[in-house]
Amino acid sequence: MSQSLRQQRTIGSAVHVAGFGYWTGRDVTVQFRPAAVDTGIVFVRGDLARPVRIPATVAHRVEVPRRTSLSVGGASVDMIEHIMAALAGLRIDNCEVWVDRAEMPGCDGSSMPFVAALTSAGVVEQ
């Protein structure tokens, strides 16, 4: 029987980051939303006719050169590495990441804009 050494964490409120994709150059907005215990990190393509949930697990990883991509049922999210680094660095276990395009914003090329937004939302023990 294995038990976690710490409680799971989510964010205290919804926050967003806007920018443009490096590959497409298109404007994109990412909204981070609190999520329930054991949700994990889930990207949600809210721009599609029916929102598609894409769990951030290795089972959903697809091979795309020079970026990290996930796909479920033909819906995908690309360039997720800086978002995932921000969530991991802040030890946020449960979060819904709603996006209005497939490609995440490049911002300044680092995780810092995502860290700043997530920090402003506050981190909540679950």
Side-chain angles (χ1 to χ4, degrees):
M1 178 165 56
S2 155
Q3 290 186 349
S4 176
L5 299 177
R6 67 173 179 83
Q7 291 183 307
Q8 292 183 25
R9 296 161 50 121
T10 191
I11 55 175
S13 63
V15 292
H16 76 277
V17 174
F20 62 90
Y22 277 134
W23 301 101
T24 64
R26 299 178 77 183
D27 291 335
V28 59
T29 300
V30 175
Q31 183 182 58
F32 297 95
R33 298 181 184 180
V37 171
D38 294 330
T39 298
I41 307 303
V42 179
F43 288 84
V44 183
R45 286 287 306 274
D47 60 318
L48 302 175
R50 294 183 71 179
V52 175
R53 298 176 64 80
I54 307 170
T57 63
V58 71
H60 297 103
R61 183 187 165 278
V62 292
E63 186 66 34
V64 178
R66 294 187 214 126
R67 65 195 97 164
T68 304
S69 300
L70 303 171
S71 182
V72 167
S76 64
V77 287
D78 298 315
M79 296 281 297
I80 65 165
E81 51 270 20
H82 294 133
I83 289 174
M84 294 301 293
L87 291 164
L90 294 170
R91 297 185 317 160
I92 296 171
D93 305 288
N94 303 303
C95 187
E96 288 188 350
V97 184
W98 284 72
V99 298
D100 61 2
R101 297 224 188 267
E103 185 180 7
M104 303 304 104
C107 301
D108 68 355
S110 77
S111 294
M112 194 55 173
F114 305 115
V115 170
L118 291 164
T119 300
S120 76
V123 177
V124 177
E125 301 281 331
Q126 296 180 295

